């Protein structure tokens, strides 16, 4: 698939720690203005389940958690402030083994989508390939 026809969608899941209940809850509360799902910069967006798929596109994968060397095994990054979407805070994530002061966590979900090639595009590609193979058209004439 041509890279122009591939898009990686991303959404960030955010949680806030509630010490009184000793549990992680959805972020959007009186104390935390960050939505449960946001873009990279903290702008609230829809849940990944309700993510809009544009016309003529199809999903190439399911939603996957982005796990890397900076996250814990579940893909979470931990922070002491709800301003974790600012560039400086993104560099100040707390390792999961130092969670004593952590109040917030977030993780990145990604999903690939691809452009559906219409029948017209597919037929045109077949015709052009046939003309090139037969010598009636040079690939250099296409540029």
């Amino acid at each position: 698939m041509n890279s122009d026809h591939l898009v990686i969608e991303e959404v960030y899941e955010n949680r806030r720690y509630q010490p009184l209940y000793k549990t992680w809850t959805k972020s959007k509360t009186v104390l935390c203005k960050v939505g449960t799902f946001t873009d990279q910069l903290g702008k609230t967006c829809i849940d990944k389940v309700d993510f809009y798929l544009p016309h003529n596109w199809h999903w190439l994968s399911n939603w996957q958690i982005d796990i890397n060397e900076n996250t814990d095994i579940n893909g979470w990054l931990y922070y002491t402030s709800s301003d974790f979407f600012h560039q400086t805070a993104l560099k100040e994530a707390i390792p999961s083994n130092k969670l004593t002061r952590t109040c917030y966590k977030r993780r990145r979900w990604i999903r690939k989508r691809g452009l559906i090639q219409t029948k017209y595009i597919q037929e045109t590609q077949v015709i052009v390939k046939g003309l090139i193979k037969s010598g009636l058209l040079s690939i250099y004439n296409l540029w």
Side-chain angles (χ1 to χ4, degrees), residues 78-143:
Y78 298 86
Y79 302 88
T80 57
S81 167
S82 64
D83 291 336
F84 47 71
F85 49 85
H86 294 298
Q87 278 307 113
T88 53
L90 289 173
K91 296 174 185 169
E92 297 170 1
I94 301 166
S96 59
N97 62 350
K98 303 216 189 275
L99 296 180
T100 56
R101 302 177 319 136
T102 303
C103 290
Y104 303 93
K105 66 181 180 178
R106 80 184 311 208
R107 63 181 169 184
R108 179 177 179 236
W109 290 83
I110 56 174
R111 189 173 191 184
K112 295 176 185 175
R113 66 177 162 99
L115 184 63
I116 297 172
Q117 290 196 353
T118 64
K119 188 175 181 181
Y120 173 77
I121 292 172
Q122 291 170 339
E123 289 174 352
T124 302
Q125 288 174 337
V126 169
I127 292 169
V128 169
K129 286 178 184 175
L131 290 171
I132 291 171
K133 188 175 182 179
S134 67
L136 296 173
L137 180 65
S138 167
I139 193 163
Y140 300 107
N141 297 119
L142 298 175
W143 305 112

Side-chain angles (χ1 to χ4, degrees), residues 10-83:
E10 67 178 6
V11 65
Y12 290 81
E13 180 182 1
N14 308 294
R15 295 285 187 255
R16 182 178 190 282
Y17 188 69
Q18 299 287 340
L20 184 62
Y21 304 108
K22 296 183 181 177
T23 187
W24 291 95
T25 61
K26 295 181 179 181
S27 286
K28 192 95 175 183
T29 65
V30 175
L31 299 173
C32 181
K33 304 298 183 206
V34 177
T36 301
F37 288 94
T38 62
D39 64 10
Q40 181 181 11
L41 299 176
K43 181 181 175 189
T44 300
C45 65
I46 59 173
D47 185 316
K48 62 183 176 25
V49 176
D50 300 323
F51 215 86
Y52 174 73
L53 184 63
H55 182 67
N56 285 335
W57 290 82
H58 64 105
W59 292 120
L60 298 173
S61 67
N62 292 322
W63 285 103
Q64 301 171 346
I65 298 169
D66 182 20
I67 298 172
N68 59 56
E69 66 277 357
N70 298 317
T71 67
D72 69 9
I73 61 170
N74 295 309
W76 293 108
L77 287 170
Y78 298 86
Y79 302 88
T80 57
S81 167
S82 64
D83 291 336

